Amino acid sequence: MSDTICENRKRFVDLRHFENYGYLYLMNDSHFKAVEDEDAEFYVYHVLTGNITTDIHYHSSAQLVYAEGGIVHVFTDLKHWYLPARCFMWIPAGTPHYLFSTSPKVDLYNFYFKKEVDENGFFDEINIYSVNELLREMILYTKDWNGKITINDGAKYYFLKALKGVLPEKRDKKLAFPVQHPFPKDETLLKIARYIHANMEKPLTIESTAKEFGMSTRTLSRKFKEILGMNYVRFLRALRITRSLELMLEGKYNMYEIAMMVGYNSLSSFSNIFKKIIGVAPTEYQQKLRGDR
């Protein structure tokens, strides 16, 4: 097991106080042993409870994680990924990771697939994709399935074989979700992440944040580039956009209110940044997240 991901999980646990996380369901890991069975070409394990967390783990099967409602945080060795509703994440075999979600309405669909000979190169890459309607309906069709699926299970076995087969072609390439970033290991940057989450509605310029932490703008800028490989503005923007997605799914606020809550001084500036990162306007993405289109 990677020491880095263990350290990252400990750090993230320390950061949980920046939001109201409430009760978390620790996903049962008893199925991991069965996933490793030689005849378990496919394994299905869905968690339909919301507020989910797992321990750090990996397995010899690849994993497809699909979120129906809410946002799921996925931590791998060096990166923090955000899996929003109506998207799936492909996690190649042997990848250490853990999942964390505080969305009360999220349904988490988990499929495990044994590696096959001469697989499409798609299956070797970790990434997040939006799904089209066909793929979504195939995933939801398995809602009541659970456990190991072998060739002796007939229709279920061939259904999952077909589901895996269409992934490279039936994912929605137009709305892939690219927001992910390295997880900060530096204690100062972790404190800054806490500060950003607690003050999201403020301008949070690099100058004001550097002053808040008693350092020069140049020093703070260098820390982000050397430790995270990205600048302060890009990191801040990623946190703001992902927070906006969580607020969209709550359904309590209009788009102007969301823009203000995540630190933009106008709806147009928020919409422009959102479209630049995600590829579509926030209202269009909200409709997709809610299943309106």
Side-chain angles (χ1 to χ4, degrees), residues 224-258:
F224 270 90
K225 290 179 181 177
E226 290 179 354
I227 296 172
L228 293 186
M230 64 194 304
N231 62 35
Y232 171 84
V233 171
R234 185 179 166 197
F235 183 80
L236 173 62
R237 188 175 61 185
L239 295 186
R240 282 179 162 160
I241 293 302
T242 51
R243 178 58 182 152
S244 75
L245 292 173
E246 293 175 327
L247 293 170
M248 286 178 195
L249 284 162
E250 288 182 19
K252 299 177 183 177
Y253 312 101
N254 62 42
M255 203 59 69
Y256 175 79
E257 290 172 322
I258 291 173

Side-chain angles (χ1 to χ4, degrees), residues 134-177:
L134 170 62
L135 185 52
R136 176 174 177 264
E137 289 302 320
M138 292 180 75
I139 290 171
L140 297 184
Y141 182 76
T142 71
K143 185 173 184 177
D144 298 323
W145 296 12
N146 184 61
K148 180 165 53 177
I149 308 293
T150 73
I151 195 168
N152 295 326
D153 292 298
K156 287 185 177 180
Y157 174 86
Y158 289 106
F159 183 89
L160 292 178
K161 202 169 185 67
L163 189 154
K164 181 183 179 183
V166 302
L167 289 179
E169 301 300 326
K170 296 302 181 184
R171 69 190 189 278
D172 190 333
K173 299 174 185 177
K174 295 180 181 177
L175 283 178
F177 190 75

Side-chain angles (χ1 to χ4, degrees), residues 4 12 44 66 74 79-80 90 92 103 125 140 169 172 185 230 235 264:
T4 302
F12 187 64
V44 178
Y66 172 76
V74 182
K79 289 189 176 181
H80 177 182
W90 182 262
S103 301
E125 179 183 357
L140 297 184
E169 301 300 326
D172 190 333
K185 294 185 285 184
M230 64 194 304
F235 183 80
Y264 290 91

Side-chain angles (χ1 to χ4, degrees), residues 37-56:
D37 289 351
E38 189 174 340
D39 64 339
E41 186 170 345
F42 306 114
Y43 198 96
V44 178
Y45 184 84
H46 302 328
V47 183
L48 312 178
T49 61
N51 294 328
I52 299 161
T53 187
T54 74
D55 286 327
I56 302 162

Side-chain angles (χ1 to χ4, degrees), residues 102-127:
T102 58
S103 301
K105 297 181 180 179
V106 67
D107 289 342
L108 194 66
Y109 290 74
N110 294 281
F111 302 88
Y112 300 88
F113 301 91
K114 283 281 194 292
K115 188 174 180 62
E116 299 177 85
V117 178
D118 298 327
E119 278 187 341
N120 186 302
F122 164 86
F123 297 111
D124 294 324
E125 179 183 357
I126 187 169
N127 214 334

